[in-house]
């Protein structure tokens, strides 16, 4: 850039003068002068860009607005800024780099959907990409050049084979069976509903990816992998503390881990990837030739996939399907407890269509419009990917409503603000499925046919969207059909209240733990749940299996093996 070139030329001239002057004070003064001139030039660049870009708070030199970011839930602050500046787009500076936050559905649709060809790339992401999987994972991949776009298309094509819209219809049988097992688990042990949801969601993607189900909520593939995902989601929230402070000061990421505790272990070179080992193990086992990992190894020579790419593609199934889907179901339970008036219309519709002697199946969906609206409201009311996943970046300078959005800028959709904009969703914190019916007074126009933007936009939309929607519908419908889900009563008759705002702070948010009551609606429903659950377990027996690998020991053992061969971390 021009400012960097001027600084370089000025620095060379000063260094020539330093060479003829031995005084350390003169050297120090000159270096301070060069630094000051560089900061002034760079700040002038920032202010010039600020005058061209969407409005936002005044950035400071070098640090931008980083230290104005709130400690928790920054998406609320971005929403507040949007209202303060009366603009759907706001610019917040993370260090020397601007980030544009979209707080309106129509602007998000215009930029990220209709201009998807421009906004399909990623910006520089120090924490999530450079210190993580980098360009071996399609979630992080740049598409700035034709070569990068082609590599990303290869990954998207492979992922589409696993969870494309036509492919996921083939998964309905075992997805339905796993949903029946959830109902059986809730009947036997309702207090651990969160663990049952995590087992269900993880088992579905494990069958798709590795050809084996997850039978127990204590299986390490759940307890360890989801814990790591929660940690990653927490660490990658835009903020003023480490490790995200490295986005403001990228040079801090260059320090070795041994002397850089702020890196939280990120960027540490290890042995072979855990997910590659799990994928290779499953690919070598006989049977279940439809498993995604077997397809990946079959296509490895054709698409020149390296080990890290196979690890990323197989691991992404868990990221796209386990934590997010289970968190959505926890939000569903919270909504039932907080807004019991929405349940009666669901019961009336389900009883009319299904009755107590069988649970809903996918063919019932067209006949249950209220349940379909209920699921939409679950996805809208408290979306899991609250800032729309990873940021987009334009591949060229773009202009929108007179504002400049420079090439490579971090552009992010604020799903919270979009789904809580009263122009589209009156009383946005009220859980109200009726808002999706055209005849309802709270119904408002919304871009796209779905009525929500839970899964992102354009070419970077969540790969597992159709799978997640399919699984959410059948499980919500089944649990509405079979159970009373309500606030828990204490022995003295008082009720344990719930807080609809008490959510985690990560990129994938979910309700903080809360107590509730989950009981069968009738004896007939209970008997049906037991009968169908037992049959589902028999049908799923073909997917029985277990991995020998544990994330908690894998990296320790692989690191030890590397040291035996003289390799250094």
């Amino acid at each position: 850039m021009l400012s960097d070139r001027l600084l370089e030329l000025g620095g060379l001239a000063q260094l020539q003068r330093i060479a003829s002057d031995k005084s350390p004070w003169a050297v120090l003064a000159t270096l301070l002068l060069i630094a000051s001139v560089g900061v002034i030039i760079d700040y002038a660049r920032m202010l010039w860009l600020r005058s061209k870009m969407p409005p936002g708070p005044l950035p400071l030199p070098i640090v931008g607005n980083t230290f104005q970011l709130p400690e928790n839930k920054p998406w609320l602050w971005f929403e507040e800024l949007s209202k303060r500046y009366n603009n759907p787009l706001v610019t917040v500076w993370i260090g020397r780099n601007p980030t544009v936050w979209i707080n309106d559905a129509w602007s998000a649709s215009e930029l990220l959907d209709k201009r998807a060809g421009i906004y399909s790339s990623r910006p520089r992401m120090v924490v999530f990409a450079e210190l993580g999987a980098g360009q071996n994972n399609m979630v992080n991949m740049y598409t700035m050049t034709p070569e990068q776009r082609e590599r990303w298309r290869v990954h998207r094509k492979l992922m589409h084979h696993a969870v494309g819209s036509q492919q996921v219809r083939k998964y309905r049988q075992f997805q339905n069976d796993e949903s029946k097992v959830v109902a059986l688990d809730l009947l036997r042990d309702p207090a651990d509903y969160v663990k049952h949801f995590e087992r269900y969601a993880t088992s579905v993607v494990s069958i798709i990816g590795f050809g084996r189900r997850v039978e127990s909520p204590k299986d390490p593939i759940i307890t360890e992998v989801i814990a790591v995902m929660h940690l990653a989601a927490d660490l990658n929230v835009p903020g003023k503390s480490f490790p995200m402070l490295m986005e403001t000061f990228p040079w801090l990421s260059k320090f070795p881990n041994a002397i850089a505790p702020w890196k939280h272990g990120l960027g540490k070179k290890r042995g072979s990837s855990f997910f590659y080992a799990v994928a290779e193990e499953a690919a070598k086992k006989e049977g279940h030739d439809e498993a995604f990992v077997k397809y990946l190894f079959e296509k490895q020579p054709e698409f020149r996939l390296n080990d890290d790419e196979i690890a990323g593609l197989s691991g992404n199934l868990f990221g796209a399907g386990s934590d997010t889907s289970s968190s959505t179901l926890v939000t569903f339970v919270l909504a039932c407890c907080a807004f019991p008036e929405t349940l009666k219309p669901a019961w009336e519709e389900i009883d009319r269509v299904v009755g107590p002697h069988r649970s809903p199946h996918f063919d019932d969906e067209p006949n249950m419009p209220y349940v379909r609206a209920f699921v939409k409201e679950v996805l809208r009311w408290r979306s899991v990917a609250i800032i729309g996943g990873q940021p987009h970046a334009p591949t060229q300078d773009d202009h929108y409503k007179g504002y400049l959005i420079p090439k490579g800028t971090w552009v992010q959709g604020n799903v919270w603000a979009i789904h809580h904009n009263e122009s589209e969703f009156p009383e946005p914190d009220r859980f109200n499925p009726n808002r999706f019916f055209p005849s309802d007074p709270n119904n408002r126009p919304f871009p796209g046919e779905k009525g929500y933007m839970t899964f992102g936009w354009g070419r970077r939309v969540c790969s597992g969207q159709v799978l997640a929607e399919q699984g959410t519908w059948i499980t919500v419908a089944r649990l509405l059909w079979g159970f009373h889900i309500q606030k828990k009563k204490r022995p003295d008759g008082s009720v344990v209240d719930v807080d609809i705002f008490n959510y985690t702070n990560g990129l994938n948010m979910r309700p903080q733990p809360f107590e509730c009551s989950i009981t069968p609606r009738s004896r007939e429903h209970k008997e049906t749940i037991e009968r169908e659950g037992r049959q589902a377990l028999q049908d799923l027996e073909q997917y029985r299996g277990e991995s020998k690998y544990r994330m908690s020991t894998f990296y320790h053992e692989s690191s030890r093996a590397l040291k035996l061969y003289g390799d250094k971390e």
Side-chain angles (χ1 to χ4, degrees), residues 317-548:
L317 276 177
F318 283 87
S322 57
D323 181 34
T324 51
S325 293
S326 59
S327 296
T328 298
L329 293 174
V330 179
T331 281
F332 156 71
V333 171
L334 180 65
C336 291
C337 293
F339 299 90
E341 68 279 3
T342 63
L343 300 178
K344 186 177 179 181
W347 291 333
E348 291 175 348
E349 181 176 85
I350 292 172
D351 290 346
R352 183 175 66 254
V353 174
V354 177
H357 301 297
R358 73 167 178 89
S359 63
H361 53 65
F362 289 107
D363 293 340
D364 294 318
E365 183 177 2
N367 300 318
M368 296 197 294
Y370 183 82
V371 174
R372 187 163 59 245
F374 200 104
V375 172
K376 284 188 173 186
E377 184 70 339
V378 169
L379 294 170
R380 191 282 311 175
W381 181 62
R382 295 288 187 266
S383 302
V384 175
I386 200 60
I387 51 177
Q390 296 305 317
H392 296 238
T395 56
Q396 64 188 52
D397 287 355
D398 192 27
H399 292 83
Y400 181 69
K401 294 186 176 179
Y403 296 113
L404 169 68
I405 302 178
K407 176 182 177 179
T409 299
W410 188 308
V411 179
Q412 195 117 25
N414 185 356
V415 177
W416 174 271
I418 290 169
H419 285 172
H420 287 76
N421 192 322
E422 294 200 11
S423 297
E424 284 76 47
F425 302 105
E427 297 183 88
D429 287 313
R430 181 187 168 206
F431 186 87
N432 177 21
N434 287 317
R435 69 172 78 246
F436 289 99
F437 291 99
S439 59
D440 190 84
N442 287 319
N443 181 267
R444 298 288 189 276
F446 193 84
E449 60 182 19
K450 291 185 178 297
Y452 52 81
M453 292 181 167
T454 306
F455 297 94
W457 303 270
R459 298 177 186 177
R460 293 288 186 164
V461 70
C462 174
S463 300
Q465 174 175 354
V466 179
L467 179 70
E469 290 172 331
Q470 180 173 284
T472 301
W473 187 87
I474 193 62
T475 306
V476 167
R478 177 164 285 114
L479 299 186
L480 286 172
W481 161 83
F483 294 95
H484 286 289
I485 302 174
Q486 55 195 340
K487 295 178 183 178
K488 184 177 180 179
K489 287 186 178 181
R490 299 186 181 93
D492 62 4
S494 62
V495 174
V496 179
D497 211 352
V498 294
D499 184 352
I500 64 173
F501 297 100
N502 190 20
Y503 271 70
T504 58
N505 189 50
L507 290 180
N508 291 337
M509 72 173 196
R510 64 162 57 183
Q512 296 284 7
F514 64 95
E515 293 183 294
C516 64
S517 172
I518 303 177
T519 57
R521 289 181 61 207
S522 72
R523 180 176 57 82
E524 289 83 0
H525 288 88
K526 179 177 180 292
E527 292 173 352
T528 302
I529 291 169
E530 290 175 332
R531 182 184 72 252
E532 291 188 348
R534 289 192 298 267
Q535 182 61 53
L537 286 171
Q538 292 181 25
D539 295 340
L540 291 167
E541 186 67 21
Q542 60 179 307
Y543 299 110
R544 177 185 289 271
E546 187 178 0
S547 172
K548 68 179 180 181

